[in-house]
């Protein structure tokens, strides 16, 4: 068991420190330094998220001793109401919403157990599809329920948010490196499922990074069929340490399934 998990499992031993020295002591001090350590969750597009994505997030949160969770947006897909071509054989609106709520509740419950801070979530373009549909239909905003009321969450839904001089937003209208350059501040974005990188922009008087986090979308579902000829989706998440260090964590690739034996 790792020290982080041991500490979590046995809080009464919080004052106990392992006997470390040299590089191991420095690594321990780095992992336990008092600073904001944010786990950035990629696009989910529930109910079309990967079953393995949540366990991967929980493992990453523990490994990097994170103390805050921020979701980069597109928690739900809303495929049935998309402005693009929809699948006539896909779920109806009610069924897709029910499935999305059920899938999302697993993230809600798991995050509540490991993080005592309120979960922040940037509003993505897929999250706001229904709001846009209502606006186009001249429906007053007071008729529309909040995201938390509909989805059964208790999160803080925002367009963008800044922590430790790092800007977090979903990423419509440009990738993270473009946002960082334009705003001259470090920026973290999602939205582009095939990108996962950290790029630093260094000038004479500033140094900022642009970070594209991966996603947790299941590319085999019909909702992702539009991208079947795109690059492979980058399945992963991000970790931001104190606003000064950005790390992309990509989920290990699964082992290829053996081909079935043909019986003649």
């Amino acid at each position: 068991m790792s020290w982080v998990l041991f500490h979590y499992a046995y809080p009464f031993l919080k004052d106990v420190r392992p006997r470390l020295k040299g590089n191991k002591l420095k690594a321990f001090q780095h992992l336990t330094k008092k600073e904001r350590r944010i786990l950035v969750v990629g696009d989910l597009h529930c109910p079309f998220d990967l079953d393995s994505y949540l366990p991967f997030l929980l493992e990453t949160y523990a490994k990097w001793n994170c103390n805050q969770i921020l979701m980069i947006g597109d928690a739900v897909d809303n495929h049935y109401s998309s402005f693009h071509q929809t699948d006539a054989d896909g779920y109806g609106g009610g069924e897709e919403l029910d499935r999305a709520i059920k899938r999302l509740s697993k993230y809600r419950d798991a995050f509540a157990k490991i993080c005592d801070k309120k979960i922040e979530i940037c509003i993505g373009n897929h999250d706001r599809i229904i709001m846009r549909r209502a606006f186009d239909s001249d429906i007053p905003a007071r008729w529309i329920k909040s995201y938390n009321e509909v989805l059964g969450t208790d999160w803080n839904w925002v367009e963008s948010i800044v922590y430790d001089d790092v800007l977090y937003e979903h990423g419509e209208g440009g990738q993270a490196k473009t946002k960082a350059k334009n705003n001259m501040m470090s920026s973290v974005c999602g939205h582009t499922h095939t990108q996962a990188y950290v790029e630093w922009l260094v000038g004479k008087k500033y140094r900022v990074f642009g970070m594209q986090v991966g996603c947790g979308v299941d590319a085999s579902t019909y909702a992702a069929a539009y991208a079947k000829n795109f690059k492979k989706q980058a399945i992963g998440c991000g970790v931001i340490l104190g606003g000064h260090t950005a790390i992309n964590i990509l989920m290990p690739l699964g082992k290829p399934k053996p081909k079935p034996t043909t019986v003649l």
Side-chain angles (χ1 to χ4, degrees):
M1 179 184 294
S2 70
W3 176 253
V4 174
L5 291 177
F6 182 83
H7 189 180
Y8 179 75
Y10 302 99
F12 56 88
L13 296 177
K14 62 181 180 179
D15 294 327
V16 177
R17 294 292 182 268
R19 295 180 179 178
L20 301 174
K21 60 182 180 179
N23 289 339
K24 289 184 178 180
L25 176 59
K26 290 180 180 179
F28 175 79
Q29 291 172 337
H30 175 66
L31 277 174
T32 55
K33 181 181 178 181
K34 289 186 178 181
E35 62 181 353
R36 196 186 310 274
R37 308 171 74 88
I38 300 179
L39 172 72
V40 184
V41 179
D43 295 25
L44 297 176
H45 288 259
C46 290
F48 307 108
D49 56 311
L50 287 164
D51 291 333
S52 54
Y53 192 58
L54 179 56
F56 165 71
L57 293 174
L58 299 180
E59 180 182 15
T60 303
Y61 187 93
K63 280 184 176 180
W64 289 91
N65 196 23
C66 295
N67 52 35
Q68 188 167 338
I69 297 174
L70 188 146
M71 303 173 68
I72 210 64
D74 279 358
V76 292
D77 192 87
N78 285 321
H79 175 83
Y80 66 91
S81 192
S82 174
F83 287 90
H84 302 293
Q85 185 65 46
T86 59
D87 192 326
D89 295 319
Y91 303 134
E95 183 177 3
E96 184 182 327
L97 179 57
D98 286 342
R99 287 174 178 266
I101 292 172
K102 185 176 181 179
R103 300 283 297 188
L104 209 56
S105 68
K106 296 180 180 180
Y107 293 88
R108 178 200 64 204
D109 296 345
F111 292 165
K113 290 180 180 178
I114 63 173
C115 183
D116 56 6
K117 292 187 175 70
K118 197 172 187 66
I119 306 301
E120 311 277 7
I121 177 167
C122 298
I123 301 171
N125 55 302
H126 280 258
D127 298 322
R128 64 166 63 90
I129 283 177
I130 304 303
M131 305 299 185
R132 291 178 59 193
R133 289 290 191 186
F135 183 84
D136 290 346
S137 300
D138 298 324
I139 297 175
R142 74 180 89 176
W143 282 107
I144 307 301
K145 292 183 179 181
S146 69
Y147 291 109
N148 283 334
E149 287 178 291
V150 175
L151 299 175
T153 55
D154 57 354
W155 300 333
N156 183 29
W157 296 74
V158 297
E159 290 292 336
S160 63
I161 196 164
V162 175
Y163 283 116
D164 301 320
D165 294 323
V166 178
L167 172 67
Y168 298 84
E169 57 183 335
H170 181 60
E172 300 154 74
Q175 289 193 7
K177 57 186 176 183
T178 302
K179 301 276 188 179
K181 183 177 181 179
N182 291 345
N183 297 322
M184 288 193 293
M185 69 183 302
S186 294
S187 300
V188 180
C189 297
H191 187 60
T192 307
H193 300 169
T194 58
Q195 295 290 320
Y197 63 76
V198 176
E199 183 171 326
W200 285 88
L201 303 173
V202 180
K204 290 184 177 180
K205 294 185 177 182
Y206 70 93
R207 181 180 62 187
V208 299
F209 63 81
M211 179 183 192
Q212 281 289 143
V213 299
C215 71
V217 179
D218 185 349
S220 67
T221 62
Y222 69 83
Y226 69 93
K228 64 182 179 181
N229 295 319
F230 291 8
K231 291 195 305 180
K232 184 177 176 63
Q233 292 177 333
I235 306 301
C237 62
V239 173
I240 308 296
L241 308 178
H244 53 76
T245 303
I247 307 166
N248 258 310
I249 314 293
L250 294 181
M251 196 166 78
L253 296 174
K255 295 181 180 179
K257 296 180 179 179
K259 294 181 180 179
T261 302
T262 302
V263 179
L264 300 177

